Amino acid sequence: MNGFYRSKVMAVLFVGLPLLAVLLYFLSPDVGMPLGAFTAMVVSSAAGLLASTTLSVSIINERSQGAFDLFLVRPVRRSHLLLAKYVAVLACVLVAAALALVLANGYDWVSSGAVDLGALYEPFMVTLAMASITCAAAVLFGSLVRTVLVGVILTIYGGNQLSALAVLPALQEMAPLEITVAISLIASAVILGIAAIIFSRKLGN
């Protein structure tokens, strides 16, 4: 966790995510919504994707460079290596998303004097659902392939499709958001389990 939240990538995420939302908002003509709502849309679609791409690249690079071999002589389970990376990245994504949402709604409050803090809940939960799936997919693809480009393409396309499927029932009001988030977390756990099995077998070969 220490390494991730102090890394340059995560620093870019903490600063870049709010900045990206602000730039897109002011560069897009006739957005027709407050900055807070616009940021919620950007955060839910981009935050998990940015971090998951980094996660898959990190796993592929470290595996190809033999960095994981150093842990094999220590009493550390291979599955715990993946889980630690997953939890660290997901936590950093959620902190960055929360920061972006609070700043955007703070701007709305200063500029218009009115802001609905309850509106922060839904985009944050959607971000949690989508980021949990995309980061789990990144761990799976990072464990499966040895080429960074292939890993990035699979993570961007596969992770995005899986996360969209996961939150679709809630976005179409076919199921409560809380149930959608619970299903997403369960699906993420299953994907991580599969990734751990593949990862252990590949390190053992």
Side-chain angles (χ1 to χ4, degrees):
M1 187 72 184
N2 259 352
F4 264 102
Y5 86 77
R6 289 187 303 187
S7 71
K8 291 179 182 177
V9 175
M10 288 304 149
V12 169
L13 189 62
F14 290 147
V15 178
L17 196 57
L19 191 60
L20 176 67
V22 170
L23 285 176
L24 289 175
Y25 181 79
F26 287 106
L27 291 176
S28 305
D30 303 327
V31 173
M33 64 176 72
L35 178 59
F38 184 81
T39 300
M41 192 172 63
V42 172
V43 162
S44 59
S45 61
L49 199 58
L50 290 173
S52 62
T53 306
T54 305
L55 181 57
S56 66
V57 171
S58 168
I59 293 173
I60 293 170
N61 281 336
E62 290 179 11
R63 189 155 58 87
S64 62
Q65 293 167 3
F68 291 121
D69 295 342
L70 301 175
F71 290 97
L72 297 181
V73 297
R74 298 182 179 182
V76 179
R77 287 189 176 184
R78 293 165 180 173
S79 58
H80 289 180
L81 296 174
L82 290 182
L83 186 61
K85 280 183 171 290
Y86 173 81
V87 171
V89 171
L90 185 60
C92 288
V93 169
L94 295 179
V95 170
L99 182 63
L101 290 170
V102 168
L103 289 176
N105 282 275
Y107 171 84
D108 289 339
W109 181 71
V110 171
S111 60
S112 65
V115 61
D116 180 14
L117 290 178
L120 293 174
Y121 176 74
E122 184 172 334
F124 187 79
M125 294 295 278
V126 170
T127 302
L128 170 62
M130 295 187 77
S132 65
I133 292 275
T134 52
C135 288
V139 172
L140 176 62
F141 295 135
S143 303
L144 270 175
V145 303
R146 289 186 176 275
T147 309
V148 169
L149 180 59
V150 176
V152 169
I153 291 173
L154 287 174
T155 299
I156 291 175
Y157 184 75
N160 203 26
Q161 296 297 317
L162 285 173
S163 62
L165 280 175
V167 299
L168 198 58
L171 295 179
Q172 293 189 342
E173 299 182 350
M174 296 168 59
L177 181 58
E178 290 77 8
I179 292 181
T180 297
V181 173
I183 292 173
S184 299
L185 293 176
I186 292 170
S188 300
V190 172
I191 295 172
L192 285 173
I194 296 171
I197 294 171
I198 294 172
F199 184 74
S200 296
R201 287 184 177 175
K202 283 186 176 291
L203 279 188
N205 293 332

